[in-house]
Amino acid sequence: MQSINLPVDHSKIDANFEGYKVSMNNVHFSSKSLDQNLCLRAPSNEMITLQHMKVFSNDNQLFCDYSKCTDSQQFLYRILDTGHIQAMVYEKKTQIWNTSIVGSIDVGTNASSAFPTNLLFTENNLVVACNGISEITVFLAVSDSNWVKMLEHKVSEQGLSLIEARILNGKLNILAYHVESDDSKKTRSRIHSIRINLDDIDYADSLTVEKSMDLIQNGHFETCTFTNNGEIIFLSSEKPHVEGQQEDMEEKVEHSWEQTGNIIQVAFKLKSEISKEDVKIDTTKTGIRLIVKDLTLLSGKLSGEIDENDVEICADQKTNSLKLKLKSIDDKKWEKLISVEYDTLKSLEDSEIKRTMKGEQVIESDEPMEECDETEGSMAFYWVDQESGKVLKQCDVSGSQVLFTSRQSSTSPALICLRHDVDGLLWSFDESAPSHVATLQAFGYVQASKTSRLWSGCSPNKSLACIVEGNNRVLLYSQKVEVSGSLSNRKTSQTVSHVSKQHLLRVECSDPIRGVQLTDTHLFAATKSHIHVAELNL
């Protein structure tokens, strides 16, 4: 399996960025009352795992057909509590809303095990909806006001979330998942890859499922997206696999270890040749993660504390052996090398889960850590062949925080924003290798302080970043605003041509924001029975 890196484009990072200036621009939302309410769902008492919470934290109940939007019109949609799908066309010049019912899905009467509903738009006027319970529905939008139901497909028994839908190689490809427990009662995600035949769409009354494949994702699952050639990219803490093939995914490597005083030595015997470049190791005072090629040799919490700056590792190419030397900070005798595996750490109960959701590291440490400096645990991108389920390549991004995922195109993979130092870096997967396409200055630092954050994202042209907070505050961050007249830096006395600004808006509504769409010129927000819009002349 190929191992690749994320190539940071340092020309897209402003090393001299000093912060956002508070804007005095007076930007307000205008609001429209709607006749019916959104279909809103919250976690039930049974949905207590971190993965369940992740599904609901990504809930966004305002949907957009980006392919139809123009300079004069915005095409937005809601799923109502009756199951009807409401189209809302906004005329930007006249600021008038035109609404209509275009279709419906069965949202059920018992929502105790239901995830939020979803709606995704693809090419060829095909729309994919998910009722959050068990079914995916495919519509053909024959007009702006009439959708014809082409397929109803039951995927799972309960709790289903739609991830992505794209037309690739003339087929409709869908990704969805639900959270389940395996025989050992560990939480895991089951990702459903569904392919639908479109050959007869011009004259068929219905569509048929051509192929479906389930992938098991143990540990933390963030998201997945289709590449342009049909592979699936997973962002997760563990390698995905087809059910029943997990044993074939990784060989087991035995190790021996011994302690002499405060020196711990570990020896590994591998089956294939290794080089220094194949070895990746991350250590903290109490934790270690050692990977050789794509194989994890050690991963977890150590039985004692070590000097993380005094770690030696030696690879012997002649004997295919690997030796690791650690230095304990005291003479305490270790009972075992790894006291707690990462898999066990991931199954911590409520208090630990809440800590992890805030971005805290799972490995314990006595060193104080500011919230804005906290990172995720082990994490990697995995490229999976859609036919066989085999992992083709991976990219280790352990220690990176996932800031948000952006799906603003029906023809491209999702953009994923990862924290890099204090910044947010947007990564594109349009090509065979990931590409750093834009930087949101200091956005990682800014987002870490927003403990009541509901939604994060950016505009299609990536000039605006946005955070929506639970008290209906909206924070906009303009990356570069041109300066009219003469402006100079007080510290350096150098003339500047642009500044970065922070804009504060508030939705004046008693109901919380449950849906957001940010364009290059407008910000739309949906509450239970209202739609709000702000024109961004920034």
Side-chain angles (χ1 to χ4, degrees):
M1 181 175 60
Q2 182 184 2
S3 181
I4 62 175
N5 296 316
L6 291 183
V8 175
D9 185 349
H10 291 281
S11 67
K12 291 184 169 68
I13 297 177
D14 185 358
N16 299 316
F17 180 77
E18 294 185 348
Y20 292 97
K21 313 300 179 186
V22 177
S23 173
M24 296 294 106
N25 286 8
N26 196 10
V27 182
H28 292 288
F29 280 100
S30 60
S31 303
K32 175 180 174 60
S33 177
L34 301 168
D35 293 335
Q36 290 177 281
N37 295 334
L38 281 172
C39 180
L40 300 178
R41 290 181 176 146
S44 65
N45 293 334
E46 292 76 26
M47 296 178 176
I48 59 173
T49 70
L50 174 60
Q51 203 59 56
H52 283 103
M53 296 177 188
K54 191 71 181 176
V55 174
F56 284 91
S57 69
N58 290 329
D59 183 19
N60 185 356
Q61 287 299 306
L62 187 58
F63 311 102
C64 181
D65 186 351
Y66 299 101
S67 65
K68 285 188 175 181
C69 296
T70 64
D71 292 339
S72 59
Q73 289 182 318
Q74 190 76 19
F75 287 80
L76 300 174
Y77 300 82
R78 301 189 310 156
I79 298 178
L80 307 178
D81 55 9
T82 59
H84 290 93
I85 301 171
Q86 182 181 50
M88 301 181 296
V89 182
Y90 181 68
E91 303 289 343
K92 297 179 182 179
K93 293 182 180 179
T94 60
Q95 300 181 3
I96 294 176
W97 289 97
N98 296 309
T99 62
S100 62
I101 299 299
V102 294
S104 65
I105 58 175
D106 181 10
V107 294
T109 56
N110 181 11
S112 61
S113 60
F115 283 160
T117 56
N118 306 94
L119 196 64
L120 289 175
F121 298 85
T122 71
E123 298 176 278
N124 298 347
N125 295 321
L126 287 173
V127 186
V128 182
C130 177
N131 64 1
I133 303 171
S134 61
E135 286 185 348
I136 284 176
T137 304
V138 179
F139 294 93
L140 177 64
V142 295
S143 69
D144 290 344
S145 58
N146 182 27
W147 293 0
V148 176
K149 193 174 293 184
M150 304 294 289
L151 174 69
E152 284 183 305
H153 178 60
K154 186 173 182 179
V155 180
S156 67
E157 292 300 323
Q158 56 183 9
L160 184 68
S161 182
L162 184 63
I163 304 174
E164 184 161 316
R166 287 184 63 194
I167 294 179
L168 297 165
N169 302 318
K171 312 286 185 180
L172 176 59
N173 294 262
I174 299 172
L175 290 172
Y177 83 109
H178 71 274
V179 181
E180 60 182 17
S181 296
D182 62 14
D183 295 336
S184 61
K185 305 303 181 183
K186 290 182 180 179
T187 301
R188 66 182 187 180
S189 300
R190 182 181 291 269
I191 287 79
H192 307 273
S193 175
I194 303 165
R195 183 188 301 159
I196 297 173
N197 188 5
L198 300 179
D199 291 342
D200 299 328
I201 192 171
D202 290 337
Y203 54 86
D205 294 329
S206 62
L207 299 174
T208 56
V209 174
E210 180 178 280
K211 181 182 178 180
S212 62
M213 179 178 67
D214 288 359
L215 288 153
I216 303 301
Q217 179 66 74
N218 295 317
H220 176 72
F221 169 67
E222 186 70 33
T223 190
C224 56
T225 185
F226 286 114
T227 66
N228 291 329
N229 63 1
E231 296 169 357
I232 309 172
I233 300 178
F234 284 75
L235 179 55
S236 55
S237 63
E238 295 189 28
K239 195 181 299 182
H241 65 276
V242 176
E243 191 166 29
Q245 296 182 5
Q246 187 173 16
E247 294 77 9
D248 300 330
M249 296 290 289
E250 293 188 357
E251 59 177 311
K252 298 296 182 182
V253 176
E254 298 297 329
H255 67 266
S256 60
W257 70 283
E258 61 179 5
Q259 179 179 1
T260 305
N262 65 343
I263 302 299
I264 293 94
Q265 297 190 75
V266 192
F268 303 89
K269 181 65 177 177
L270 304 176
K271 295 181 180 180
S272 58
E273 292 184 2
I274 57 172
S275 64
K276 186 178 179 180
E277 290 73 22
D278 295 328
V279 180
K280 294 182 180 180
I281 185 169
D282 292 309
T283 58
T284 66
K285 280 189 175 182
T286 58
I288 189 169
R289 185 170 178 84
L290 174 61
I291 300 173
V292 175
K293 296 182 179 177
D294 61 330
L295 190 62
T296 301
L297 302 186
L298 291 176
S299 179
K301 182 179 180 181
L302 296 166
S303 290
E305 293 187 2
I306 62 170
D307 183 350
E308 57 188 314
N309 297 315
D310 192 357
V311 177
E312 297 179 17
I313 190 161
C314 178
D316 190 333
Q317 292 179 315
K318 294 181 179 180
T319 61
N320 296 335
S321 62
L322 189 70
K323 292 184 179 180
L324 172 67
K325 183 179 177 181
L326 306 173
K327 184 178 181 180
S328 173
I329 64 174
D330 54 37
D331 294 327
K332 175 186 174 183
K333 187 68 176 179
W334 291 15
E335 294 183 1
K336 52 185 178 179
L337 181 62
I338 300 293
S339 63
V340 186
E341 297 283 350
Y342 269 118
D343 287 346
T344 305
L345 287 170
K346 289 186 181 72
S347 63
L348 296 173
E349 297 298 333
D350 292 348
S351 61
E352 294 295 330
I353 289 172
K354 292 177 181 177
R355 289 177 60 246
T356 308
M357 284 194 71
K358 293 180 180 178
E360 297 183 19
Q361 287 181 308
V362 177
I363 299 174
E364 296 287 350
S365 174
D366 291 336
E367 292 186 355
M369 179 180 285
E370 293 186 20
E371 184 179 5
C372 60
D373 292 326
E374 293 159 359
T375 60
E376 301 284 353
S378 62
M379 191 74 68
F381 288 106
Y382 298 97
W383 280 254
V384 177
D385 181 77
Q386 196 179 172
E387 297 297 327
S388 65
K390 182 180 179 182
V391 178
L392 305 175
K393 55 186 177 181
Q394 74 176 51
C395 176
D396 187 10
V397 291
S398 295
S400 297
Q401 283 182 317
V402 182
L403 301 182
F404 61 84
T405 301
S406 175
R407 289 183 170 86
Q408 296 176 329
S409 170
S410 61
T411 59
S412 298
L415 288 173
I416 297 177
C417 187
L418 299 179
R419 178 171 174 173
H420 176 80
D421 194 7
V422 298
D423 297 323
L425 270 54
L426 280 163
W427 293 95
S428 168
F429 298 87
D430 272 331
E431 307 296 334
S432 58
S435 174
H436 171 201
V437 294
T439 299
L440 305 179
Q441 307 292 345
F443 195 67
Y445 183 88
V446 168
Q447 178 165 304
S449 65
K450 309 305 177 187
T451 56
S452 61
R453 176 175 53 87
L454 295 177
W455 182 87
S456 295
C458 67
S459 59
N461 65 8
K462 306 167 190 63
S463 65
L464 286 172
C466 178
I467 294 176
V468 177
E469 293 189 290
N471 55 4
N472 283 2
R473 290 202 325 163
V474 180
L475 297 163
L476 287 171
Y477 298 91
S478 302
Q479 298 305 294
K480 288 186 178 181
V481 178
E482 292 187 2
V483 175
S484 58
S486 178
L487 183 66
S488 60
N489 188 302
R490 291 181 180 179
K491 295 181 180 179
T492 64
S493 299
Q494 293 182 341
T495 301
V496 295
S497 60
H498 66 270
V499 295
S500 299
K501 291 188 176 183
Q502 173 187 283
H503 312 264
L504 173 62
L505 296 78
R506 187 184 296 276
V507 171
E508 299 297 336
C509 183
S510 58
D511 295 321
I513 294 175
R514 296 301 299 267
V516 184
Q517 289 293 334
L518 175 63
T519 74
D520 297 336
T521 58
H522 289 76
L523 176 64
F524 300 88
T527 52
K528 185 177 181 179
S529 59
H530 289 77
I531 184 71
H532 314 267
V533 57
E535 186 173 0
L536 307 177
N537 296 316
L538 308 179

